[in-house]
């Protein structure tokens, strides 16, 4: 519990520093209350994901993966998305796609080819059934509802200025969600203090920029969920 709490504070502090830098650059469109709200959302999300910093036992007890934590954080963020200030559609939690998104479908196809190719080249055998089921479902649903859903909405409201990148409106707030996504995977804390894994940060934070683009281009988290689960799940099959 102690380590997870400090890790969460460290991740928030880094994003807060980048946020303050962005506030200086985009001071005319920066809205501090939304930024504080975005950071608070991460605190809530991490609290739920870790099952109150592991005070709540996992369920089922014999599971190798954090099923209960993922379900708790997914349910919590869906409730946040239902709040009037957010809204499911504004958070991208909708099946409806924007028109003229053939470039998004092309990128999604290339995403499939890339990750399945990596999985085949790095083949180490098929994983057990629980791992396959978990990796093909929970990471994409849980993390996309948060990072490309409610958190992105809050960050976009904090940093209103955006520019079109290949037909998708990308802003500083969106890029901050990608940095936080990388930190959630690449930054750790233990008995020796903080440790930063640059490669792991890059291989998670980098693809998350593509997921951000898919979300903004299509107006929905559907494609990011599919891409995310393929990226995680492909390696379980070979």
């Amino acid at each position: 519990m102690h380590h997870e709490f400090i890790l969460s504070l460290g991740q928030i502090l880094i994003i807060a520093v980048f946020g303050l830098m962005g506030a200086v650059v985009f001071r005319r469109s920066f809205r501090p209350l939304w930024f504080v709200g975005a950071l608070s959302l991460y605190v809530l999300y991490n609290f739920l994901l870790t099952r109150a910093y592991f005070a709540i036992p996992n369920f089922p007890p014999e599971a190798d993966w954090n099923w209960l934590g993922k379900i708790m954080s997914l349910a919590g963020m869906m409730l946040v998305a239902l709040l009037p200030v957010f809204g499911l559609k504004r958070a991208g939690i909708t099946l409806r796609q924007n028109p003229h998104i053939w470039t998004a479908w092309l990128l999604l196809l290339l995403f499939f080819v890339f990750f399945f190719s990596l999985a085949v080249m790095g083949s180490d055998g098929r994983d057990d059934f629980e791992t396959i089921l978990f990796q093909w479902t929970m990471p994409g649903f849980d993390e996309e509802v948060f990072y490309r859903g409610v958190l992105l909405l809050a960050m976009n409201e904090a940093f209103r200025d955006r520019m079109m990148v290949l037909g998708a409106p990308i802003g500083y707030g969106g890029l901050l969600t990608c940095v936080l996504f990388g930190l959630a995977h690449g930054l750790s804390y233990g008995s020796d203090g903080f440790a930063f894994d640059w490669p792991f940060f890059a291989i998670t934070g980098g693809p998350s920029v593509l997921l951000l683009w898919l979300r903004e281009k299509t107006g929905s988290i559907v494609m990011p969920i599919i891409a995310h689960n393929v990226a995680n799940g492909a390696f379980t099959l070979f």
Side-chain angles (χ1 to χ4, degrees), residues 8-175:
S8 179
L9 290 180
Q11 293 162 342
I12 290 173
L13 178 60
I14 293 172
I15 295 301
V17 170
F18 280 110
L20 291 176
M21 293 168 58
V24 174
V25 176
F26 304 103
R27 57 185 178 276
R28 291 185 178 179
S29 62
F30 176 65
R31 299 201 290 182
L33 287 181
W34 273 101
F35 184 63
V36 172
L39 297 182
S40 301
L41 277 176
Y42 184 72
V43 173
L44 174 60
Y45 173 78
N46 199 51
F47 178 80
L48 295 171
L49 180 63
T50 59
R51 309 189 308 272
Y53 301 117
F54 304 111
I56 302 173
N58 194 20
F59 185 85
E62 67 278 5
D64 293 325
W65 294 93
N66 184 25
W67 290 95
L68 182 57
K70 286 290 188 182
I71 292 171
M72 287 174 61
S73 55
L74 175 58
M77 293 306 106
M78 287 296 293
L79 289 175
V80 170
L82 287 170
L83 295 174
V85 72
F86 284 87
L88 292 176
K89 186 176 180 181
R90 290 187 69 214
I93 306 174
T94 175
L95 295 177
R96 180 172 294 182
Q97 309 288 298
N98 290 334
H100 312 301
I101 55 170
W102 66 268
T103 51
W105 285 111
L106 177 60
L107 178 61
L108 189 63
L109 176 61
L110 294 175
F111 203 88
F112 290 171
V113 172
F114 177 73
F115 278 98
F116 271 106
S117 298
L118 286 181
V120 171
M121 289 187 294
S123 177
D124 58 357
R126 180 170 295 197
D127 288 312
D128 61 87
F129 177 74
E130 183 195 345
T131 299
I132 294 174
L133 182 61
F134 184 88
Q135 295 297 345
W136 278 95
T137 56
M138 299 311 299
F141 282 105
D142 163 58
E143 294 174 21
E144 294 309 311
V145 166
F146 177 62
Y147 286 98
R148 257 66 65 180
V150 294
L151 180 66
L152 177 61
L153 173 56
M155 284 293 192
N156 279 342
E157 289 293 333
F159 298 93
R160 297 295 295 262
D161 286 348
R162 287 187 278 176
M163 62 181 296
M164 299 301 292
V165 179
L166 300 177
I170 305 297
Y172 188 76
L175 296 178

